[in-house]
Amino acid sequence: MIRHVIFDLDGTLVDSCRACMTIVEQMLADRGVPRRLDERRARTLISRGGKPLVRGLMGDACLDADADLAEFRSRYADSRTPETDLYPQVRQGLEQLVQAGLSLAICTNKPQNLCDAVLRDTGIAPLFDCVVGGREGLRAKPEPDLLGLALDRLGASASQCLFVGDSEVDHEVAHALAMPFLFAAWGYAQEGWNPHPSPRFATFGDVTRAIIALLEPEDARRYG
């Protein structure tokens, strides 16, 4: 029986694309190379991780990827994430899942301190029993380290969980641990990608209704 729902963060619960673009545009302007970034390209880079995102958006202005990533993360930590960056129906949907008796968790490659800040700023932190962000010593998704840590902290098996994510990376890590996967089609996946046979959802409200329906006696394996 499903007892826990684990969510990715960026592209699943929060649309962080504009915030990331603004920070990189500020970095470029400070270096004397002001540039308007392409949002479509930014969206394809976000799920690949911080370094590919910064390097991809900065282009030839990125001379030291590690230093530029550190600067990007420092600026991100100094910013605030408005509640309006939550995707539509996210807060209401999460509250409904908690009221239905489910335990909620986050598993994201976003560094733990930035993840905690985003959840706090948007006001949804109290809804989660477990928050696992990127950290030293554990490999990023799609490697199974972070999702495995989330399972350990929840005291759960993969069969007791659903993973809701928006990208190929999320699908791959869920598949590696044999965890049922629900595809958030509003996020940052490559255009046209579809994780068949996992179901595709157009809105967070659709995801919420599907999960609540699973609490009735029903076979969750169709979400594999």
Side-chain angles (χ1 to χ4, degrees):
M1 181 177 179
I2 299 301
R3 301 183 183 278
H4 313 274
V5 185
I6 305 175
F7 295 91
D8 176 48
L9 182 60
D10 297 301
T12 301
L13 302 180
V14 177
D15 188 356
S16 56
C17 183
R18 185 64 253 176
C20 292
M21 290 174 60
T22 297
I23 291 170
V24 174
E25 286 173 347
Q26 291 170 346
M27 291 170 63
L28 291 169
D30 289 348
R31 298 178 189 194
V33 284
R35 185 183 306 164
R36 292 290 295 175
L37 300 176
D38 179 68
E39 184 171 343
R40 182 184 303 179
R41 173 163 172 73
R43 288 183 176 276
T44 66
L45 291 169
I46 286 179
S47 63
R48 301 182 190 178
K51 190 178 293 186
L53 171 67
V54 172
R55 186 165 47 206
L57 292 181
M58 294 190 71
D60 55 10
C62 179
L63 302 179
D64 184 331
D66 290 327
D68 289 338
L69 176 60
E71 180 181 348
F72 172 84
R73 287 177 170 170
S74 176
R75 290 179 182 238
Y76 202 118
D78 290 337
S79 66
R80 288 187 60 84
T81 302
E83 188 174 348
T84 52
D85 280 2
L86 291 174
Y87 284 105
Q89 306 171 29
V90 163
R91 175 183 291 280
Q92 302 94 315
L94 294 174
E95 290 173 346
Q96 289 172 21
L97 295 176
V98 171
Q99 291 166 5
L102 290 165
S103 170
L104 307 184
I106 295 281
C107 180
T108 174
N109 286 340
K110 196 184 207 80
Q112 186 74 45
N113 67 311
L114 301 183
C115 177
D116 291 340
V118 168
L119 296 177
R120 182 181 63 249
D121 289 348
T122 55
I124 60 174
L127 298 172
F128 294 95
D129 295 316
C130 170
V131 177
V132 173
R135 64 200 60 211
E136 292 292 331
L138 293 182
R139 297 170 297 175
K141 297 182 297 182
E143 300 299 333
D145 302 31
L146 296 175
L147 189 53
L149 177 59
L151 288 176
D152 288 344
R153 290 187 172 179
L154 290 169
S157 65
S159 63
Q160 294 175 310
C161 301
L162 297 173
F163 193 94
V164 182
D166 69 293
S167 71
E168 299 90 334
V169 167
D170 295 324
H171 180 250
E172 186 175 340
V173 70
H175 182 73
L177 293 181
M179 185 180 297
F181 178 74
L182 282 68
F183 175 42
W186 57 85
Y188 303 142
Q190 295 292 321
E191 186 174 352
W193 180 74
N194 191 22
H196 182 77
S198 298
R200 174 188 180 98
F201 296 94
T203 71
F204 198 87
D206 293 338
V207 170
T208 302
R209 286 185 287 273
I211 294 173
I212 290 176
L214 280 174
L215 299 181
E216 302 172 1
E218 194 172 334
D219 187 0
R221 286 175 296 178
R222 61 193 175 94
Y223 290 93

